[in-house]
Amino acid sequence: LFYGSILIQLCQLMADHLPQVLAQAVAYVYERLDTMNTVLVDRFGSWFAYFLSNFKYHWTWSEWEECVMLNKTDPNHPKPKFLKEVFLKLLWLTFHEKLKD
């Protein structure tokens, strides 16, 4: 949580550069979820939900549309599971109506 707070503060202070770099890092880790330990995936999901909750839930979700198809063909794939967990954690962090927006 401490490192997450630091990253959030840095994103706010360096809004021209750091958010793009962080988005690339998130995409890099997301693409490699199937090679990661489940504990690491869970921690990454917790951090990602915390991050999203501090930035009004804005993300380029269209880049992760493949996840919907993966869920239909292989529901046990780590990517759909990861996103489900992220959304569950987001529900804990906010009201359902706010998340729908």
Side-chain angles (χ1 to χ4, degrees), residues 4 23 41 47 56 62 64 73 75-76 82 86-87 89 97:
V41 173
W47 170 82
K56 300 179 182 177
S62 59
W64 292 3
T73 59
N76 292 320
F82 168 76
V86 167
F87 285 117
K89 290 172 183 177
E97 291 301 315

Side-chain angles (χ1 to χ4, degrees), residues 18 34 45 50-51 56 98 101:
L18 194 61
D34 56 342
Y50 174 71
F51 178 82
K56 300 179 182 177
K98 209 177 198 185
D101 293 339

Side-chain angles (χ1 to χ4, degrees), residues 53-64:
S53 71
N54 281 277
F55 286 97
K56 300 179 182 177
Y57 312 99
H58 289 250
W59 194 255
T60 313
W61 295 109
S62 59
E63 293 177 4
W64 292 3

